[in-house]
Amino acid sequence: MNRAASRAGPARPANPSTELAGPTSISAPTTVEPAASTPVAGHASPSVAAAGRDRHVTVGIAAAMAAKGIGLAAPLVVTPACFAYLGDQRYGLWMAVTALTGMAWFADLGLGNGLLTRLSHHVTDVRAQAREISSAFATLGAVAVVLVVVLVLVVPTVPWAGLFGVTDARVAADASTMVLLCFGAFAVNIPFSLIQRIQYARGQVVQSNVWQSAGALVAMGGVLGAIAAGWSPLVVIGCAVLAVPLTNLLNTVAYFWFQEPALRPGPALVDRATAVGLLRLGLQFFALTTMSSIALNMDSPLVAYLLGPSMAAHYAVVGKLFGVLSIFVGLVGMTIWPVNGTALAQGDVAWVRRNTRRMVFLYGAVVAAVGGVLVGFGARLVELWVGGIDRASVPIPLLAGLAGWSFLVAVTSPLIMVQNSVGLLRPQFVGWASFLVLAAGLKVWGLRQFGLVGLPVAACLAYVLTMWPAVLVGYRRALAGAPSSRSRRGQERADVPLPQ
């Protein structure tokens, strides 16, 4: 799903109003420019504005799904080849380490989210945008350097093979190098991934998704080529994990040197006050991203620790089938996020309510339908897809549990998007923190008592008891805090400069 997303959670705010829950708040500019991705005129009539938002949502969803669909073939092709070439223990260790990197997505200190929000407030000020971008790259570049140094010093001292129950001597010998490779690629990608936030903030959603799809295809080609050439398993894994940062680097160079040279980051544009402002706003998202990332990526490490890397490999393969549903939820969510923010800033609560109900129905219908197909044919699909996996290790209750989990997360996602669009994070933080504590205990108990089947059942129970109430409370607060349409139009009239 947060990164909390890909999951139903990690915050990628594109909110024109940055009001936070509780006494802490960040005052927004008196006049808030609509997000670049939202083609709604500042003084359009409510009906015209609503129609424009509807068109934007429809076209955005269709375009983003088409672009993302290009990359869906990559993991479907690569997974069986990697599983067969690497073996279950090496592949299981790789998936467990990958899950650990997923828990560390908060290492950007929330600056990516902060940049996405702040750029939407400088739509017409190119110089201000360039300062924001340069300051973000400088800050996260320093973070990446520090992380790489720490990794080089710490990773060799940790007994990774024993930690994940690796019994194969050859896999154990490469464990530290594999961890360093995976976490190193993650650290390098922290500043490079800013380009995705920048393109989303400027309404270039399709372009961003095309580049991300290209990264998946590059990884597929590199992995398959390395396997065909008979190269070492570490080279195969390197081709997989380094493709994304390489693609983001190429995207960054092409964007700032050829497409938008006026926004090109440079040392002279780094501004201390801007960097502090970015960090202050980014840290508002830090706790939420921490909670959601850890909560949504604990499964593979838990399975590897309690049941061994072989079972973790089997679970990871089954989970990838349901990962298609997470991709759908994430694509739609990123499309409606900035549109919700603009609508609430303009006081059009009725449209947000209507659109949220429509999105809940869309999410629920699609996820339920696809989830039902995966429950009925998932074991056969895994057998045809990967091979070498006993169908008895993919029981119907496990598939049904994963389908139920996907459905619960999907139908709450539109309500979370409304909260993210206005920066309302406290209810989500309470929900994710409660879910993390409750789910961790329930999952350990479920794995020990029922094996893999206990994992999604424990997750569903914990989510209903913790996240659902928090999401409903936050959604109502977000709508209640929006200005009325009349007061918003009055403010807009007051903000219109008099003729000179």
Side-chain angles (χ1 to χ4, degrees):
M1 293 176 331
N2 120 326
R3 266 176 227 270
S6 49
R7 299 164 288 203
R12 290 191 181 108
N15 53 311
S17 160
T18 53
E19 178 186 356
L20 299 179
T24 304
S25 64
I26 300 175
S27 59
T30 303
T31 303
V32 180
E33 296 287 350
S37 59
T38 308
V40 179
H43 302 284
S45 67
S47 60
V48 173
R53 295 189 200 104
D54 289 337
R55 286 193 300 271
H56 178 72
V57 169
T58 302
V59 173
I61 291 174
M65 290 184 68
K68 197 71 173 182
I70 299 174
L72 285 179
L76 296 176
V77 173
V78 166
T79 296
C82 286
F83 190 88
Y85 192 77
L86 299 178
D88 56 358
Q89 287 209 20
R90 195 185 304 272
Y91 184 81
L93 176 62
W94 179 23
M95 291 299 101
V97 173
T98 300
L100 290 177
T101 63
M103 292 183 183
W105 275 111
F106 55 84
D108 74 341
L109 304 179
L111 259 69
N113 295 333
L115 179 64
L116 179 58
T117 298
R118 288 169 66 98
L119 285 180
S120 67
H121 295 166
H122 300 297
V123 174
T124 59
D125 191 339
V126 175
R127 185 72 175 178
Q129 287 190 358
R131 283 198 303 271
E132 299 281 356
I133 292 170
S134 297
S135 300
F137 269 109
T139 305
L140 290 187
V143 170
V145 171
V146 171
L147 281 179
V148 169
V149 172
V150 171
L151 287 170
V152 171
L153 296 176
V154 172
V155 167
T157 67
V158 179
W160 298 102
L163 185 63
F164 290 110
V166 176
T167 58
D168 188 316
R170 293 173 301 175
V171 177
D174 292 337
S176 293
T177 305
M178 181 192 299
V179 173
L180 185 61
L181 184 61
C182 293
F183 272 94
F186 161 78
V188 170
N189 192 50
I190 289 175
F192 293 159
S193 65
L194 283 175
I195 187 62
Q196 298 174 16
R197 301 295 205 281
I198 294 166
Q199 289 171 329
Y200 267 91
R202 294 179 59 80
Q204 296 152 337
V205 177
V206 176
Q207 179 178 343
S208 178
N209 277 286
V210 168
W211 275 100
Q212 293 178 59
S213 299
L217 294 176
V218 169
M220 180 183 70
V223 168
L224 294 180
I227 291 175
W231 291 343
S232 74
L234 288 177
V235 173
V236 174
I237 294 172
C239 290
V241 301
L242 293 174
V244 171
L246 175 61
T247 304
N248 283 335
L249 173 61
L250 294 176
N251 187 7
T252 300
V253 172
Y255 190 80
F256 291 118
W257 267 260
F258 299 101
Q259 184 175 345
E260 298 286 353
L263 298 176
R264 184 185 307 161
L269 292 170
V270 177
D271 180 70
R272 180 179 180 181
T274 301
V276 170
L278 271 170
L279 200 56
R280 185 183 297 116
L281 177 59
L283 289 176
Q284 305 287 339
F285 300 99
F286 181 85
L288 174 62
T289 309
T290 302
M291 290 295 102
S292 61
S293 295
I294 295 176
L296 291 167
N297 287 278
M298 70 170 74
D299 289 2
S300 289
L302 281 179
V303 175
Y305 179 74
L306 294 173
L307 303 181
S310 296
M311 292 299 292
H314 294 178
Y315 183 78
V317 171
V318 177
K320 285 182 179 295
L321 286 178
F322 290 88
V324 175
L325 301 177
S326 300
I327 292 174
F328 167 76
V329 171
L331 283 175
V332 178
M334 285 302 293
T335 301
I336 65 175
W337 193 321
V339 187
N340 279 336
T342 300
L344 289 175
Q346 295 173 345
D348 198 349
V349 176
W351 183 88
V352 174
R353 288 184 187 274
R354 184 175 68 253
N355 184 66
T356 301
R357 287 194 297 267
R358 184 171 55 184
M359 291 298 107
V360 168
F361 176 79
L362 175 65
Y363 279 41
V366 172
V367 172
V370 178
V373 172
L374 292 178
V375 170
F377 301 96
R380 179 59 176 164
L381 288 174
V382 169
E383 187 178 41
L384 293 174
W385 180 28
V386 177
I389 292 183
D390 185 4
R391 293 183 65 175
S393 65
V394 191
I396 294 295
L398 173 61
L399 298 173
L402 290 171
W405 164 254
S406 300
F407 179 82
L408 292 178
V409 172
V411 295
T412 55
S413 182
L415 283 71
I416 291 175
M417 293 301 104
V418 173
Q419 297 168 63
N420 289 344
S421 70
V422 295
L424 185 60
L425 305 182
R426 182 170 295 178
Q428 296 180 64
F429 175 77
V430 173
W432 281 117
S434 303
F435 173 82
L436 176 60
V437 174
L438 181 59
L442 288 177
K443 286 180 177 182
V444 170
W445 178 82
L447 283 170
R448 286 175 173 168
Q449 295 296 321
F450 308 106
L452 289 179
V453 175
L455 199 61
V457 174
C460 290
L461 179 59
Y463 198 82
V464 170
L465 293 176
T466 58
M467 277 300 294
W468 268 29
V471 167
L472 291 173
V473 169
Y475 175 67
R476 289 168 181 168
R477 287 184 183 177
L479 296 183
S484 66
S485 299
R486 180 176 299 177
S487 63
R488 179 65 186 174
R489 287 196 298 269
Q491 178 182 337
E492 287 173 346
R493 285 194 295 271
D495 290 336
V496 176
L498 295 175
Q500 300 297 323

